[in-house]
Amino acid sequence: MKTNVKEIFGTNVFNEAVMKERLPKDAYKKMKAAIEAGAELDPEVADIVAHEMKEWALEKGATHFTHWFQPLTGITAEKHDAFIDPQSDGTTLLRFSGKELIKGEPDASSFPSGGIRSTFEARGYTAWDCTSPAFIKETPHSTILCIPTAFCSFTGEALDKKTPLLRSMQAINIQAMRILRLFGNTTAKQVIPSVGAEQEYFLVDKEKFMKRKDLTFTGRTLFGAMPPKGQEMDDH
């Protein structure tokens, strides 16, 4: 039996399409604003999202959820919790609140901190990064709802590799928007940097530009014969 990649791609991801289908319209709009514009997410909306995320995960066979983060160990880390909420009468309910979705509290003393705090200041918090969609991780022994999070100390220092990335993306967005406004662009709302293939741009002095026939005729660099020496050594 052939596998249709188009049908299975992203089926275990709580992405925008899933949120649009499962969330009430108002909650979906607020959630999208939080993702795209960094708007603050209301606790009530967080509860709605958490409930629908839990129901979606249960349908996929999940029994636990985890705040999934990247501490300074070079590998990922997870703090697992069950959806079960024990009651005083001896019964249990399957619950997942917005508070549990947004914030977790793994013991920061278990992870490297770069010496930024004493061991008695072990408190560390995982905060939901809603710009990265939650996903289901299936193993031979379990099915887990993974919630991508940032990992910070109680004083705000980054204890992971994701927090500096998110902060740098925010800084680039601010400065890029400032440049766009200087160039007269008044419609752009956000610049989203991404990690991928590198594209370099070069500013060429006008006098040297006029001496380059390939640039003046075609507007780009044309490559001819390969140079006699390349960049094989790392000292170039």
Side-chain angles (χ1 to χ4, degrees), residues 97-158:
S97 67
K99 182 179 179 182
E100 292 173 308
L101 169 64
I102 290 175
K103 188 177 75 171
E105 192 174 353
D107 184 4
S109 64
S110 303
F111 302 98
S113 67
I116 63 174
R117 49 112 178 96
S118 304
T119 53
F120 66 85
E121 295 173 336
R123 285 175 292 171
Y125 298 97
T126 48
W128 177 35
D129 172 24
C130 61
T131 61
S132 296
F135 60 93
I136 298 290
K137 183 173 76 172
E138 297 175 332
T139 72
H141 308 292
S142 62
T143 302
I144 307 296
L145 170 64
C146 296
I147 303 164
T149 59
F151 185 41
C152 301
S153 73
F154 74 103
T155 52
E157 290 98 341

Side-chain angles (χ1 to χ4, degrees), residues 212 214 221-230:
R212 290 278 300 273
D214 55 345
T221 298
L222 298 180
F223 292 97
M226 290 296 292
K229 183 167 181 149

Side-chain angles (χ1 to χ4, degrees), residues 2-21:
K2 286 187 176 182
T3 301
N4 191 328
V5 177
K6 186 178 179 181
E7 291 181 1
I8 66 173
F9 183 81
T11 54
N12 282 352
V13 181
F14 195 76
N15 53 27
E16 185 175 334
V18 176
M19 287 191 288
K20 189 174 184 179
E21 179 184 349

Side-chain angles (χ1 to χ4, degrees), residues 161-224:
K161 295 185 177 181
K162 188 165 193 178
T163 304
L165 175 63
L166 293 173
R167 289 173 176 172
S168 64
M169 289 173 65
Q170 185 181 37
I172 291 174
N173 173 56
I174 292 172
Q175 298 306 320
M177 288 300 299
R178 182 177 66 85
I179 297 298
L180 286 175
R181 294 292 183 260
L182 289 175
F183 283 131
N185 186 323
T186 59
T187 58
K189 297 180 180 179
Q190 186 182 16
V191 173
I192 305 175
S194 60
V195 179
E198 180 183 2
Q199 176 66 61
E200 294 181 337
Y201 294 88
F202 297 90
L203 295 177
V204 182
D205 183 86
K206 185 176 181 180
E207 184 179 344
K208 294 180 179 179
F209 177 88
M210 297 308 296
K211 295 179 180 179
R212 290 278 300 273
K213 299 301 181 183
D214 55 345
L215 295 180
T216 56
F217 290 156
T218 69
R220 54 165 292 180
T221 298
L222 298 180
F223 292 97

